[in-house]
Amino acid sequence: MRLHRLDITAFGPFGGSQTVDFGALSAAGLFLLHGPTGAGKTSVLDAVCYALYGAVPGARQSGQGTTLRSDHAAAGTRTQVTLDLTVAGRRLEVTRLPPWERPKKRGTGTTLDKAQSLLREYDAAAGAWKDLSRSHLEIGEEITQLLGMSREQFCQVVLLPQGDFARFLRADAEARGKLLGRLFDTHRFAEVEKRLAERRRATEARVREGDAALLADAHRMQQAAGDAMELPELAPGEPGLAQAVLTAAAVARTTAREQLTVARCRLTSAESAHADAEASLHRVREVARLQRRSAEARERAERLAERAGAHREAQARMERGRKAGMVAPALELREAADAAHSRAAAAEARARAALPAEFADAGAAGLAAAARRAAEELGGLESARRAERRLADVVAERAVADRQERADDDVLQEAEAWLTGWETTRPALQTRIDTAQEAAGLAERLALRLEPARQRLAAARVRDSLAADTEEARRRALASAEAAARAKDHWLDLKEQRLNGIAAELAAGLADGEPCAVCGATEHPAPARKVAGHVDREAEERALGDHQAAEERRVRDERRLGAVREELAAATAEAGDTPTAQLADEAGELEAELARARRDASALHAAQQELRRAEQERERRLTDRRQAELRATSRLVQRDGLEREKAALEAELAQARGTAETVAARAAQLERRAALLTEAADAARTAEDSAERLKDADGRLAEAAFRAGFDTPEAASAALLDDAAHRELQRRLDVWHTEEAAVRAVLAEADTAAAAGLPPADLTAAEAAEAAAGLRLREASSARDAADRRCAELDRLSTRAATGMRRLAPLREEYDRVARLASLTAGTSADNERKMRLESYVLAARLEQVAAAATVRLRRMSSGRYTLVHSDDRAGRGRSGLGLHVVDAWTGRERDTATLSGGETFFASLALALGLADVVTDEAGGVRLDTLFIDEGFGSLDDQTLDEVLDVLDALRERDRSVGIVSHVADLRRRVHAQLEVVKGRSGSTVRLHGAG
């Protein structure tokens, strides 16, 4: 970092505008910033710090920046600090304007203007400055990133302020480590420590999880073993847990197998006892069955003896029925002959009742002769029937001819009436067709004109609508732009207020004994306090969200305005400047004319169809008239023939009818008489034949009953059995014989007879003995099955536990390895004798380099007496690695830097700061510190030491580095030629440059 120019206006004691040319001062390498007490020497350094970080060092920072304004400044002059510098190879210009209470432009009183910031970068190619940012937060982050230091660290390393000379020299290991870590970017080693610790926790969790699963299997094995297994008193993750579980599982498996052997022996004994009990039960059941069989057979024999009389009666009844069965055919024949004779006599009586009285006493032959005579007379009436039917047809034909004549007369009259008006109908139809054809042509022409008119009208309406939309979109876009500007200003205000009060926000998280996140100090004597109206992160983020949403609405409304304007231009180009009302009238007139033309043209097809139908109707009418005239001529000839045929037929029928009204009535009379006479003759002959068959059947029945041993046919009929009675009687006889044979067979069995001679069998005792043996067998089988399952479950769980142990072995090795590495890098391992963390180890190496570089200058400043050395000893109960000691060459002893005197502490701190700047510059990727300010402390040096210190500072020019000494010691004005003098006055301080190029 190299400073070029500092512009100050109304800042601190400077009432007007002052410019400090650091470029000219730095060219001398060593320059002096002096002036009387209270003139503002330190305020120059405050301005540098404020330009870079927006805040002044430590104790001088207060409020929101309003106290930075000079009390000597004019009311209309605003406080401003501008710093031109080069950092990381980039030429930058930072401008800061703190909050300002200015007089109101209207009325009385003051108003508060917000703080403002501007960061610019010089573009060498373009030869001009370009703006980078106006955000306080963005500028602060950019400067902090480029310098690699916070405000507190910058003040400690670059701006060594009054009273804080030896802070870095006397700082504890933790505070010194934080500063060195930022300067040398060693946080990646802290990340390694963190990653190893996280990996250790992750692998430890996985090992614990595996041990927990193994211990869960052990609990399952203990449950399966019936609590006969003792679990190891170890927690998941402790060494030896897996082996202890496997050992306990082996003991449990051995015990389970012994229990299985005992259960199998018991099962074998129970099976033998149960088989003996089953055999005994079977024998007792068989004896009981034979005894019951013998008793039942004796009871059945007794019941047969009781029913012997009924059995003999049934046998006699069956024998009589068998003999009656020999007479049954004659009985059936007689019954059939009697029934047939009764039916024939009844039929004869019905037939004779329908005949006239003259045939009441006639025999069968007389009735047959009368029937033949009636049939001969009926045959003679057939020709008369044909004549009667023809006469009816002639009358019908005459009636049809009369109806056709009347119909033809109507057709002729209607045709003549219609054809009379044809000459006037056809011209009228042709005129309608011509008119409709002209209307169709007009409709086509109007349709071609109407579509462009409609398009222009639609475009005009869109044009009018878009004109209003354009104005509305313009108003909305303007309102969105104003709202976006207000939202942005509000967000920037809140952001500036939060940055001004960030110290109070950070101080809220401080705790006694805990290091500060900014400076690293563990003591917090005066932490900043939040003032009324403090802005927190949530309020700033809400304002940022509102600003972004307003900006999105502004862009959206501007896009909408552009789109509406484009649509309006397109609609205007199509519609022209003609008013919409005029275009609507023109389109309406065209639509009305087109509707009338289409209405007239729509009648064309109907007129053509009507003309075609009229011509077809004319042809049909002419044809109907010709056909009606032809039919009238034919009917005259047909009518004469029908009259002659009708007269002949009527004469023939009058002779054939006789006394009947018609020939058909006479024929019906003859047919009925012939049928009745024939039916009566047949019935008389049938009755005579049935009487003969009945007489013959009576003789045969009497002979059959005598041969069968019955006195009369009636006795044989009474002994006769029907099929149902015969089957029932035969069934009873068969059941008797079957039961008798079965009883004899059972009583003849040797086993049954032997069992009957034995005492009664005790089946209940045998069944109880068998049940007890079965229960013992089931219990033994269940015990054997439980033992089998216990062995199988223990084998399965043991196998799973062994598999889990083998699977967990690589993870245990990984955990042991990672845990050793994590403990080693964290400084908690026994192998790490000095309890030094990895980052501290790296920083210790850097501190050794810093101590070596500082020693080169310290030895010159102390005339070879003092040397700075790095110490990795532990400080109290803390960790080691970042200690600093001074070696006194006069005594040869190493002692703490706190034992140095005031002057010795000053040049030792100065040497350490210069050495730190050298190492940081030489470190790849480190920040180059080209400008260093030393504020006071030189008054504690004697002349010789002062000369040696100045020689060391003057030698920095060899490395293109400059050192600014802030002091009011008069002797320094003689020794240092390049000077910046701060002169105080009643109207404010001013600066003067002396002895610089």
Side-chain angles (χ1 to χ4, degrees), residues 81-306:
V81 177
T82 301
L83 178 63
D84 181 4
L85 74 159
T86 297
V87 58
R90 298 171 61 185
R91 182 73 176 270
L92 301 176
E93 182 186 80
V94 186
T95 301
R96 300 277 190 177
L97 290 84
W100 176 39
E101 284 193 3
R102 62 171 178 82
K104 292 184 178 180
K105 296 180 179 180
R106 296 179 181 178
T108 60
T110 61
T111 183
L112 181 64
D113 282 350
K114 298 175 298 182
Q116 299 180 17
S117 299
L118 173 63
L119 176 63
R120 300 196 301 172
E121 183 176 6
Y122 184 74
D123 188 350
W129 293 90
K130 62 177 181 180
D131 293 347
L132 295 182
S133 176
R134 291 182 177 273
S135 169
H136 305 301
L137 182 62
E138 292 178 358
I139 294 174
E141 291 177 350
E142 182 73 14
I143 294 299
T144 301
Q145 183 178 3
L146 291 174
L147 293 177
M149 292 178 287
S150 66
R151 175 175 61 86
E152 290 77 5
Q153 294 164 341
F154 177 82
C155 295
Q156 189 174 17
V157 176
V158 179
L159 302 179
L160 296 177
Q162 293 180 4
D164 292 341
F165 244 83
R167 179 183 297 178
F168 181 71
L169 180 65
R170 296 177 177 175
D172 58 14
E174 185 175 359
R176 190 178 292 129
K178 289 183 179 179
L179 175 62
L180 293 176
R182 288 295 303 271
L183 290 175
F184 295 107
D185 192 20
T186 59
H187 294 293
R188 60 185 181 277
F189 298 102
E191 287 296 322
V192 171
E193 297 176 23
K194 182 179 177 182
R195 290 291 298 277
L196 285 173
E198 291 176 351
R199 188 172 177 184
R200 177 183 62 186
R201 288 192 294 271
T203 52
E204 182 180 5
R206 292 169 61 190
V207 169
R208 288 181 179 275
E209 183 180 353
D211 283 351
L214 189 63
L215 197 57
D217 287 340
H219 283 287
R220 295 188 185 96
M221 285 188 280
Q222 183 185 39
Q223 184 177 4
D227 296 331
M229 173 181 172
E230 295 185 1
L231 295 179
E233 296 180 357
L234 296 174
E238 295 185 15
L241 174 64
Q243 189 60 43
V245 169
L246 293 181
T247 301
V251 174
R253 291 198 304 275
T254 301
T255 303
R257 288 191 175 90
E258 293 175 354
Q259 294 174 351
L260 177 60
T261 302
V262 173
R264 286 175 176 171
C265 293
R266 291 178 178 173
L267 178 61
T268 302
S269 177
E271 288 176 345
S272 177
H274 184 259
D276 294 341
E278 282 186 337
S280 177
L281 177 62
H282 178 71
R283 288 193 300 271
V284 172
R285 284 176 175 171
E286 182 63 19
V287 171
R289 185 185 67 80
L290 292 175
Q291 289 176 348
R292 287 195 304 273
R293 183 177 176 83
S294 176
E296 291 172 355
R298 288 193 298 272
E299 292 176 359
R300 290 162 63 189
E302 293 175 357
R303 286 196 296 271
L304 287 175
E306 292 174 356

Side-chain angles (χ1 to χ4, degrees), residues 879-914:
R879 297 178 182 175
S880 59
L882 297 179
L884 276 177
H885 287 175
V886 63
V887 178
D888 190 347
W890 290 0
T891 63
R893 292 182 178 275
E894 181 178 324
R895 54 193 175 98
D896 192 270
T897 54
T899 62
L900 295 174
S901 66
E904 291 172 341
T905 298
F906 168 72
F907 62 69
S909 300
L910 179 59
L912 186 61
L914 296 175

Side-chain angles (χ1 to χ4, degrees), residues 419-479:
L419 290 173
T420 301
W422 170 249
E423 295 301 328
T424 58
T425 301
R426 189 180 188 286
L429 292 175
Q430 187 62 44
T431 301
R432 287 173 56 192
I433 290 173
D434 295 341
T435 302
Q437 287 177 343
E438 292 177 358
L442 178 61
E444 291 179 358
R445 294 190 297 274
L446 291 174
L448 294 176
R449 292 172 55 194
L450 179 59
E451 187 59 29
R454 286 176 174 172
Q455 292 178 354
R456 288 188 64 195
L457 176 59
R461 289 171 176 168
V462 172
R463 176 196 63 196
D464 296 344
S465 175
L466 289 177
D469 293 345
T470 301
E471 181 61 24
E472 177 63 21
R474 187 188 64 79
R475 288 195 300 270
R476 291 183 61 184
L478 181 58

Side-chain angles (χ1 to χ4, degrees), residues 678-693:
T678 302
E679 182 181 356
D682 292 339
R685 283 193 295 271
T686 301
E688 293 174 356
D689 293 341
S690 63
E692 291 294 332
R693 287 194 297 274

Side-chain angles (χ1 to χ4, degrees), residues 23-62:
L25 294 173
S26 299
L30 184 65
F31 61 91
L32 176 66
L33 177 59
H34 68 93
T37 300
K41 301 185 296 297
T42 303
S43 295
V44 175
L45 303 185
D46 291 347
V48 172
C49 183
Y50 181 74
L52 293 175
Y53 294 99
V56 296
R60 293 186 294 277
Q61 173 68 21
S62 63

